[in-house]
Amino acid sequence: WKLVHPTTEEDSVRNARIERTKEMGVDAWVLNHYRGLGLGNDHYNAFFEVIEKAPADCRIAISYAQLCLSFDTLIAKLSEFFHVSLSNKQKEDLEKERVEKIESNSNWIGQKWAGSDTLPGRYKRELSEQTISEVSAYYEQTLRRMAKYDPDFAYTYLEGFS
């Protein structure tokens, strides 16, 4: 956690912030924070501009949806992209990463962090339709662009758009 989310705040300060967030509720937190994080469409456009400079055969689009909903295809796609053949041992080691088996994986973040995702769409269970609609509208340009890169799972990005 600390590697990915470095902070200098004391545990008591962090715990108080977490409690305030819980009291606020997830919808209020999302609506109060998503725009202020500086991660709007312009932020993601910069990402797309960088990857689009690389030749098509030197880039690969992978997604959480692919990992969860089409694990074997994702592994095959990655192996082909990196020009590697997986050994039986590597294939065996990867088995514990399948969504169906993740909860028995002692290294899965969910063993330490309650409520961790195991499938795309968790937000639909935790956010109101109004919050989802507002955030989706704000990120529509980025979601449509992601759908282009992940066509087999475009529906996961485009849900709610006509």
Side-chain angles (χ1 to χ4, degrees):
W1 175 264
K2 289 185 178 188
L3 178 65
V4 178
H5 301 88
T7 181
T8 57
E9 64 187 3
E10 296 292 324
D11 286 345
S12 61
V13 173
R14 179 178 175 270
N15 291 338
R17 180 176 45 79
I18 289 170
E19 283 306 311
R20 282 191 310 276
T21 301
K22 285 179 182 177
E23 289 170 11
M24 179 186 297
V26 68
D27 282 289
W29 186 89
V30 167
L31 291 171
N32 285 329
H33 289 85
Y34 76 94
R35 287 189 175 143
L37 294 175
L39 301 177
N41 291 301
D42 289 342
H43 170 80
Y44 293 105
N45 284 340
F47 166 77
F48 287 117
E49 288 168 11
V50 168
I51 63 170
E52 289 169 356
K53 287 180 182 177
D57 62 340
C58 293
R59 62 180 185 233
I60 185 172
I62 59 172
S63 68
Y64 185 64
Q66 291 173 32
L67 174 69
C68 295
L69 303 174
S70 191
F71 186 80
D72 291 324
T73 302
L74 174 64
I75 297 303
K77 188 176 173 180
L78 287 166
S79 297
E80 181 180 328
F81 181 78
F82 290 113
H83 306 288
V84 297
S85 296
L86 297 177
S87 69
N88 288 336
K89 172 73 170 115
Q90 289 169 319
K91 290 176 186 176
E92 183 181 312
D93 289 344
L94 284 169
E95 280 299 306
K96 65 184 173 200
E97 303 299 336
R98 288 182 181 280
V99 168
E100 301 85 11
K101 298 179 180 181
I102 197 73
E103 291 184 10
S104 63
N105 181 343
S106 62
N107 292 320
W108 175 53
I109 191 69
Q111 303 296 1
K112 300 175 195 95
W113 192 10
S116 295
D117 286 342
T118 56
L119 287 173
R122 173 179 162 189
Y123 68 94
K124 292 182 218 171
R125 295 186 308 274
E126 296 184 358
L127 297 175
S128 71
E129 288 182 27
Q130 178 184 345
T131 300
I132 293 168
S133 179
E134 183 175 326
V135 174
S136 294
Y138 181 76
Y139 286 110
E140 181 175 359
Q141 176 187 359
T142 298
L143 292 167
R144 289 191 182 281
R145 210 160 178 186
M146 285 299 300
K148 179 182 110 180
Y149 282 97
D150 197 10
D152 293 339
F153 296 95
Y155 67 92
T156 65
Y157 304 98
L158 301 177
E159 188 173 342
F161 298 124
S162 51

